[in-house]
């Protein structure tokens, strides 16, 4: 409750006490002279409520209970309804805002809470754990969402869902590129989405190669062999059948460290029309000098430029549009490459990310 006036902490406490006492809860009250009241109410079954009254006009009620049936949820709703009615009686028209948040479910078999890139907590409509394995490099989860289909999550980072064709199309140039007869290099991309879409466009050859995984960098790899194994079984709406075999008529998948591969291609003079970097997002850190992930990113960029044709194009994802400092620093890295480059950018809504990228 946000009030239009200062809160009489004692009056609020006395008004709400009977509601909790009716539930058979025992009360403990803490009073700080200039910082309001904290009252805790505990039931015999272990459920409890915290009532925090701030003198400047903010009243918070938190309830925690163990209940796996609808009856328990209805009891909580009824108690909150009584609190809201009593507060409205006490303050009449002086309540500026009443906000009731959905219950956070803790300790469930299925984890439904995952952060966005800019640190906001999102509750997904996850109803099934489809795949959950630890590779030598990372934890790999594929969870089913009612809205987004199966979602690939690597070490807590939402990578791609079956709903996210917009991501794949954007990182391929948003339908503006002609891949017919072209040489394409994909870095990462282990969910198979980019490979699947490009193969449809009749390229000459697509090579998909492993990320260099260094645990000290904390950079998740989405072309870990176990990622491929999970995706080819549970993300087929994204990858089709291209991951069933590591070689096809116009593509090959190399389960290798991409850095030595890039260095070898540069030494051999092998050149590509397109390089698509699907390794990881731009680092969130705003201190590139102190963050080894920025050094890793610059290394990949420099090596990629060495295997890119003069008129070739390099595509990569950036990061959440809210991370303006990190995105600006990424653009600064482009001026530090061994060769001059021109760049453009596009903002896309990726459904399962629940944010603009």
């Amino acid at each position: 409750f946000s009030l239009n006036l200062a809160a009489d902490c004692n009056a609020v406490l006395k008004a709400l006490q009977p509601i909790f006492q009716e539930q058979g809860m025992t009360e403990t009250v803490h009073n700080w002279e200039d910082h309001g009241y904290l009252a805790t109410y505990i039931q015999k079954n272990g459920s409890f409520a915290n009532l925090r009254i701030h003198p400047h006009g903010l009243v918070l009620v938190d309830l925690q209970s163990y209940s796996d049936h609808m009856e328990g949820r209805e009891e909580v709703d009824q108690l909150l309804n009584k609190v809201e009615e009593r507060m409205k009686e006490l303050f009449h028209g002086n309540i500026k805002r009443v906000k009731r948040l959905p219950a956070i479910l803790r300790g469930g078999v299925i984890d439904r809470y995952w952060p966005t890139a800019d640190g906001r907590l999102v509750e997904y409509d996850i109803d099934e754990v489809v795949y959950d394995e630890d590779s030598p490099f990372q934890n790999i989860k594929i969870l089913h969402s009612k809205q987004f289909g199966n979602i690939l999550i690597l070490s807590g980072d939402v990578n791609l869902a079956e709903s996210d064709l917009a991501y794949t199309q954007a990182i391929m140039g948003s339908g503006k590129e002609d891949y017919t007869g072209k040489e394409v290099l994909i870095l990462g991309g282990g969910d198979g989405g980019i490979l699947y879409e490009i193969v449809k466009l009749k390229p000459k050859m697509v090579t998909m190669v492993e990320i260099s995984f260094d645990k000290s960098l904390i950079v998740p790899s989405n072309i870990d062999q176990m990622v491929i194994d999970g995706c080819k079984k549970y993300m087929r709406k994204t990858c089709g059948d291209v991951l069933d075999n590591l070689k096809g008529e116009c593509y090959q998948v190399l389960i290798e460290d991409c850095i030595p591969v890039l260095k070898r291609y540069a030494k051999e003079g092998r050149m590509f029309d397109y390089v698509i970097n699907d390794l990881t997002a731009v680092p969130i850190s705003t201190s590139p000098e102190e963050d080894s992930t920025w050094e890793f990113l610059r290394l990949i960029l420099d090596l990629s430029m060495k295997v890119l044709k003069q008129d070739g194009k390099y595509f990569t994802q950036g990061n959440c549009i809210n991370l303006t400092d990190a995105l600006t620093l990424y653009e600064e890295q482009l001026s530090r490459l061994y060769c001059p480059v021109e760049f453009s950018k596009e903002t896309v809504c990726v459904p399962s990310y629940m944010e603009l990228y």
Side-chain angles (χ1 to χ4, degrees), residues 278-291:
D278 193 31
L279 297 178
T280 185
V282 172
I284 293 175
S285 166
T286 55
S287 301
E289 304 83 6
E290 302 170 2
D291 192 336

Side-chain angles (χ1 to χ4, degrees), residues 210-281:
E210 170 67 297
I211 185 174
S212 174
F213 196 98
D214 182 339
K215 290 184 179 179
S216 68
L217 300 180
I218 318 177
V219 178
S221 163
N222 66 354
I223 194 172
D224 182 335
Q225 179 65 59
M226 290 180 66
V227 173
I228 290 178
D229 292 342
C231 288
K232 72 181 180 182
K233 187 172 183 179
Y234 299 112
M235 298 279 291
R236 294 190 78 85
K237 289 182 181 177
T238 295
C239 66
D241 59 358
V242 295
L243 297 181
D244 292 350
N245 298 290
L246 297 183
K247 284 191 176 182
E249 184 177 339
C250 63
Y251 72 89
Q252 61 177 341
V253 178
L254 306 179
I255 309 297
E256 299 182 43
D257 184 331
C258 77
I259 290 179
V261 172
L262 284 168
K263 289 179 178 178
R264 184 174 73 243
Y265 285 168
K267 186 176 181 180
E268 295 171 351
R270 184 171 177 185
M271 306 295 283
F272 294 87
D273 298 286
Y274 295 95
V275 176
I276 300 177
N277 181 342
D278 193 31
L279 297 178
T280 185

Side-chain angles (χ1 to χ4, degrees), residues 277-308:
N277 181 342
D278 193 31
L279 297 178
T280 185
V282 172
I284 293 175
S285 166
T286 55
S287 301
E289 304 83 6
E290 302 170 2
D291 192 336
S292 59
T293 52
W294 284 102
E295 296 175 8
F296 173 81
L297 185 147
R298 283 196 301 273
L299 174 62
I300 295 295
L301 276 167
D302 266 329
L303 290 173
S304 297
M305 295 305 110
K306 290 178 180 178
V307 300
L308 189 64

Side-chain angles (χ1 to χ4, degrees), residues 27-316:
E27 179 188 71
T28 303
V29 178
H30 303 272
N31 178 8
W32 301 277
E33 291 183 3
D34 298 323
H35 301 287
Y37 287 15
L38 169 64
T40 60
Y41 299 90
I42 302 174
Q43 278 186 332
K44 291 180 180 179
N45 64 4
S47 298
F48 66 91
N50 289 326
L51 171 62
R52 184 70 171 95
I53 309 167
H54 295 271
H56 68 275
L58 180 65
V59 179
L60 306 174
V61 181
D62 293 312
L63 296 175
Q64 289 196 27
S65 64
Y66 175 78
S67 177
D68 56 0
H69 53 84
M70 289 304 297
E71 183 179 342
R73 297 181 187 180
E74 290 173 1
E75 290 175 357
V76 169
D77 284 339
Q78 289 171 7
L79 189 149
L80 291 175
N81 288 340
K82 290 179 180 179
V83 169
E84 189 170 330
E85 290 170 7
R86 191 68 54 85
M87 286 291 291
K88 288 179 178 178
E89 291 172 1
L90 182 63
F91 288 100
H92 304 291
N94 288 313
I95 296 179
K96 180 167 54 179
R97 183 172 69 250
V98 178
K99 182 72 173 181
R100 188 183 300 190
L101 300 177
I104 295 177
L105 307 178
R106 303 174 187 270
V109 176
I110 299 174
D111 187 357
R112 301 165 63 178
Y113 303 95
W114 300 94
T116 59
D118 61 344
R120 292 174 291 111
L121 187 62
V122 173
E123 180 178 0
Y124 286 84
D125 55 349
I126 303 296
D127 59 5
E128 182 183 358
V129 177
V130 176
Y131 183 83
D132 189 355
E133 298 288 344
D134 288 311
S135 78
F137 311 112
Q138 61 197 330
N139 174 257
I140 305 159
K141 284 184 174 66
I142 299 177
L143 307 179
H144 180 264
S145 157
K146 297 174 185 177
Q147 293 180 86
F148 307 122
N150 286 344
I151 305 175
L152 174 65
I153 299 176
L154 300 179
S155 296
D157 182 43
V158 176
N159 267 239
L160 195 75
E162 292 177 317
S163 62
D164 296 344
L165 182 59
Y167 173 94
T168 303
Q169 290 175 334
I171 204 170
M172 290 170 53
S174 298
K176 302 171 186 175
E177 305 300 321
D178 181 6
Y179 286 92
T180 306
K182 300 298 174 58
E183 291 271 2
V184 183
L185 177 63
I186 302 173
L187 306 177
D191 52 71
I194 298 171
L195 180 61
Y196 180 54
E197 295 301 323
I198 288 184
V199 165
K200 296 178 186 177
L201 303 177
K202 309 300 181 184
K204 180 179 180 181
M205 175 57 67
V206 183
T207 300
M208 190 165 84
V209 66
E210 170 67 297
I211 185 174
S212 174
F213 196 98
D214 182 339
K215 290 184 179 179
S216 68
L217 300 180
I218 318 177
V219 178
S221 163
N222 66 354
I223 194 172
D224 182 335
Q225 179 65 59
M226 290 180 66
V227 173
I228 290 178
D229 292 342
C231 288
K232 72 181 180 182
K233 187 172 183 179
Y234 299 112
M235 298 279 291
R236 294 190 78 85
K237 289 182 181 177
T238 295
C239 66
D241 59 358
V242 295
L243 297 181
D244 292 350
N245 298 290
L246 297 183
K247 284 191 176 182
E249 184 177 339
C250 63
Y251 72 89
Q252 61 177 341
V253 178
L254 306 179
I255 309 297
E256 299 182 43
D257 184 331
C258 77
I259 290 179
V261 172
L262 284 168
K263 289 179 178 178
R264 184 174 73 243
Y265 285 168
K267 186 176 181 180
E268 295 171 351
R270 184 171 177 185
M271 306 295 283
F272 294 87
D273 298 286
Y274 295 95
V275 176
I276 300 177
N277 181 342
D278 193 31
L279 297 178
T280 185
V282 172
I284 293 175
S285 166
T286 55
S287 301
E289 304 83 6
E290 302 170 2
D291 192 336
S292 59
T293 52
W294 284 102
E295 296 175 8
F296 173 81
L297 185 147
R298 283 196 301 273
L299 174 62
I300 295 295
L301 276 167
D302 266 329
L303 290 173
S304 297
M305 295 305 110
K306 290 178 180 178
V307 300
L308 189 64
K309 293 181 180 179
Q310 186 69 25
D311 59 349
K313 292 185 179 180
Y314 176 93
F315 289 115
T316 187

